Amino acid sequence: RTPTASGGINSLYTAGLQVSAYELDLFGRVRSLRDQALQTYLGTEQARRAAQVTLVSEVATAYLTWSADAALYKLAQQTLATQRGTYDITKRSFELGTASALDLKQAQTSVDSARAIACAAALRLRSVTPPSAPSPTRSTRSPRSHDRDTFFRCAPATVAC
């Protein structure tokens, strides 16, 4: 309102309408699209989590398999060394006449059997690359830092490795 020179009042009224991007959702299309986008996002997140869990599981399984194979190989090498010691004692007893030729052959068969098991364990370890993660015993050395030749030493006398 503004006063005029003749004593009257002028009134000026203005009205405006501003419409932003708004859509009436009469049939639920916008809500349906929103729900669909939410489900797609949640599905993607679950797929990522599933892939992550699968990856961790496969890495853990591979490491545990390798670790078990390495322990089996070490045990097979110890068994082979023990059987060789037994053979040496039996051979010495045979030379002194206190053991029979059958005893000597049985000891040799035990050595050959232990060698075959050690070679099989070595071949199994060769087929798997040792993981680079530290061992669960908190060793400061990783399995890769070991001399790989010590894992694969196998006497090829009667058994081919």
Side-chain angles (χ1 to χ4, degrees), residues 8 15 21 34 38 55 74 78 89 95 102 112 136 139 150 153:
R34 188 189 71 210
L38 177 62
L55 177 63
K74 184 177 179 181
Q78 291 171 349
I89 292 170
E95 291 169 353
L102 178 61
D112 291 342
S139 172
T150 60
R153 193 174 304 125

Side-chain angles (χ1 to χ4, degrees), residues 59-121:
V59 169
T61 299
Y63 180 79
L64 291 175
T65 299
W66 178 85
S67 181
D69 289 345
L72 179 65
Y73 177 74
K74 184 177 179 181
L75 179 62
Q77 286 297 322
Q78 291 171 349
T79 302
L80 179 58
T82 302
Q83 292 299 330
R84 284 181 177 159
T86 301
Y87 174 78
D88 291 342
I89 292 170
T90 305
K91 183 178 177 184
R92 182 70 177 138
S93 296
F94 175 73
E95 291 169 353
L96 294 174
T98 59
S100 68
L102 178 61
D103 293 334
L104 186 61
K105 286 293 182 186
Q106 286 175 338
Q108 181 62 49
T109 301
S110 294
V111 170
D112 291 342
S113 176
R115 184 181 298 118
I117 292 170
C119 288

Side-chain angles (χ1 to χ4, degrees), residues 126-159:
R126 279 188 191 144
S127 70
V128 179
T129 303
S132 59
S135 68
T137 58
R138 299 187 189 269
S139 172
T140 57
R141 292 172 45 151
S142 74
R144 285 193 189 274
S145 66
H146 294 290
D147 180 13
R148 285 181 61 98
D149 292 335
T150 60
F151 282 114
F152 306 127
R153 193 174 304 125
C154 190
T158 59
V159 179

